[in-house]
Amino acid sequence: MADRHFRHRLDPSASTGDGGPGFGPARWSGPEAALADLAPAGLSRRRLLTAGAMAGATLLGTGLTGGKASAASKPAIFYSPHQDDEALGLAGSILEHKAAGRPVYLVLVTQGENDQLAWRMNEKDQETGKQSDCVLRASNRCAAHGPHGLNWPTDGASMIVPGRTAEFMASAKELGVDKVINWKLPDSAYNPGDAFKKLTKTVKSKIASLADQYPGASHKFTAGWLEVTRTHKAITDAAVELAWDGVLSDVRFNFVYAYDYPESDRRRGAAYVLDIPDEHMRRKRNAISCYNAWRPSENLYALGYHSVPEKMERAAADRHEYVFALPRKDRYKTGNIDGQTKNSFTGKPQWDWS
C-alpha cells in the first residue's frame, strides 16, 4: 500500500532533511489535525497531563478527579505487545508524558517469536528451503546493503527474540523511558485450543499486579479491536476487563496499526488525535530507526524493518498518534478474533466498538 506522505526509505544513514535525522526529506500534505481536548472547559490536554502527574487524573470518559500521591509515585505505564509497537504508535505519547513530568515505564509483553522472520533473514523460502533474495533489496531498502549471510535456526526464537529485544531496548533508550519491564511471555495467542484465553488471563494478572504496585498510575495499551491480531486483542481484552472491574481507573488505547489505513480512517472513533511536536517527532523517528540498524556486533539486524517496512515508513511520515478511550461496554466483545469462541471477533477493525 503506497503512502502519499512519505516517499523515501527509512535509513539510519540517510541525510537529514525535513524528515528528521535518519530520514530523507518527507513530503506532507493536508492540514495538521487539531488536538481534540477531552478535558473540562478551560483545561488543555497539556495541563491535563500535568494535573495527572501531580494529582492523579481519571481519564475514563471526560472526568478529572484529584488524588494524593506525588508525581513520582504515579507513573504512566505503556504496554508494547511486541518489539516495535512502542516506536510505531506509542512513542509520541511516551514523549508527551515525559515532557509533562510523568515517570514513564515501558512493558514489553511478549517475546515476539517469529519463525517467518527467521526464514526471511536467512533469505530462504519457508516452503521450499531454497535461496530467496531479500524482498527489500530490489528497492534498495535492505539495511544489510548486500546478502544477509545468515544461517539462523528457524524456530523463530533463538536468534529472533534477542535480536528484536536489542532493537526494543535501543528504541526505549532513545525515548528516554525511566524503566523497562520485560515480561518475556511466549507469544502464544496463535496456538490452538484455549491459548488465547490463557494468555489473556496471564496478562490480566500481571497488569493487576502493576496496578497494585503503582496505585494511581495511568495505563496505556494498544487498541486491539482495531488491530486484528490475536496478541494485541488478548492484551486489550485484559485491560478492558480490568477497567470494567474498577482495577484500572486511568486507561487509554493507542491505535498502533493506524498506519495501515488511509488517514481518514486513522482518526475514526478516536477520543483525541495527538499532534506530535517537532522535537518529539524527531525522537520518534530515531526510535523507529532503531529497527532499521544493521550492526551485528550489537545484535542489531534490522529485524523490525524487515518485518513491517511499510508500516514503519508510514508511522515515520505521520505526525499524529490516535488515542482511544475505553470501548463501549454494550458493544465490545472479548475473545479470540477467528471465531473459535462464542464472543468472536470478525477479523476486521471494529470501529463501532470505540
Side-chain angles (χ1 to χ4, degrees):
M1 176 177 173
D3 186 88
R4 62 190 177 90
H5 296 288
F6 196 77
R7 307 297 187 188
H8 298 264
R9 67 189 177 98
L10 172 60
D11 185 350
S13 65
S15 60
T16 300
D18 62 352
F23 295 85
R27 302 176 185 176
W28 310 101
S29 63
E32 296 292 311
L35 185 65
D37 192 356
L38 289 181
L43 185 61
S44 69
R45 167 72 181 151
R46 181 70 61 188
R47 287 175 59 198
L48 185 149
L49 277 172
T50 304
M54 300 306 297
T58 297
L59 293 176
L60 296 181
T62 59
L64 182 68
T65 61
K68 296 182 180 180
S70 67
S73 66
K74 291 182 177 295
I77 305 176
F78 288 78
Y79 298 81
S80 184
H82 303 102
Q83 305 93 329
D84 70 8
D85 292 310
E86 84 297 334
L88 286 168
L90 298 172
S93 299
I94 287 172
L95 292 165
E96 180 191 33
H97 282 75
K98 286 287 294 181
R102 297 285 300 276
V104 172
Y105 300 165
L106 178 60
V107 177
L108 176 57
V109 178
T110 74
Q111 297 181 85
E113 307 95 318
N114 190 324
D115 61 333
Q116 293 180 354
L117 184 55
W119 283 97
R120 191 173 305 164
M121 299 309 296
N122 287 345
E123 295 186 280
K124 291 185 178 181
D125 184 271
Q126 190 169 4
E127 294 184 2
T128 66
K130 295 182 179 180
Q131 200 68 28
S132 176
D133 287 343
C134 174
V135 295
L136 298 176
R137 189 167 302 129
S139 56
N140 196 31
R141 294 189 295 168
C142 180
H145 302 298
H148 298 165
L150 302 176
N151 190 26
W152 286 354
T154 54
D155 57 4
S158 56
M159 295 301 293
I160 295 297
V161 171
R164 294 189 74 184
T165 304
E167 294 171 354
F168 176 85
M169 294 302 295
S171 170
K173 182 178 181 180
E174 176 61 37
L175 296 174
V177 303
D178 297 283
K179 180 186 293 188
V180 171
I181 301 169
N182 188 351
W183 284 346
K184 300 182 180 179
L185 296 178
D187 193 5
S188 58
Y190 287 87
N191 293 345
D194 61 353
F196 180 95
K197 185 182 297 184
K198 287 182 177 179
L199 178 61
T200 304
K201 182 178 180 180
T202 299
V203 170
K204 186 175 179 179
S205 175
K206 284 184 167 292
I207 296 171
S209 293
L210 282 182
D212 184 62
Q213 184 178 357
Y214 302 106
S218 61
H219 298 262
K220 321 293 183 179
F221 302 91
T222 69
W225 66 94
L226 298 171
E227 293 163 358
V228 200
T229 66
R230 292 191 192 181
T231 301
H232 285 232
K233 179 62 164 50
I235 296 167
T236 300
D237 280 5
V240 167
E241 289 173 0
L242 287 169
W244 287 344
D245 292 343
V247 176
L248 303 181
S249 59
D250 184 340
V251 60
R252 279 290 183 266
F253 301 87
N254 281 38
F255 183 16
V256 303
Y257 284 7
Y259 313 103
D260 287 339
Y261 298 93
E263 189 174 358
S264 58
D265 275 342
R266 295 174 189 176
R267 64 189 65 230
R268 181 174 164 187
Y272 64 90
V273 176
L274 176 64
D275 190 355
I276 305 173
D278 290 345
E279 174 58 19
H280 291 185
M281 196 65 206
R282 180 189 69 82
R283 293 183 65 182
K284 173 170 180 169
R285 289 172 177 144
N286 284 350
I288 294 174
S289 289
C290 293
Y291 290 92
N292 193 36
W294 189 272
R295 297 194 296 273
S297 63
E298 300 174 35
N299 211 17
L300 298 175
Y301 292 91
L303 296 178
Y305 193 66
H306 278 81
S307 176
V308 287
E310 290 81 10
K311 198 189 307 291
M312 291 198 165
E313 291 180 359
R314 293 173 193 140
D318 191 337
R319 302 179 65 91
H320 306 101
E321 287 178 358
Y322 306 90
V323 186
F324 288 70
L326 188 69
R328 293 182 53 168
K329 192 171 184 178
D330 61 333
R331 293 185 179 179
Y332 188 88
K333 295 181 177 66
T334 59
N336 211 335
I337 66 172
D338 58 4
Q340 292 183 1
T341 62
K342 182 178 179 180
N343 294 325
S344 62
F345 192 61
T346 66
K348 297 180 180 179
Q350 299 301 301
W351 305 105
D352 61 339
W353 290 0
S354 301

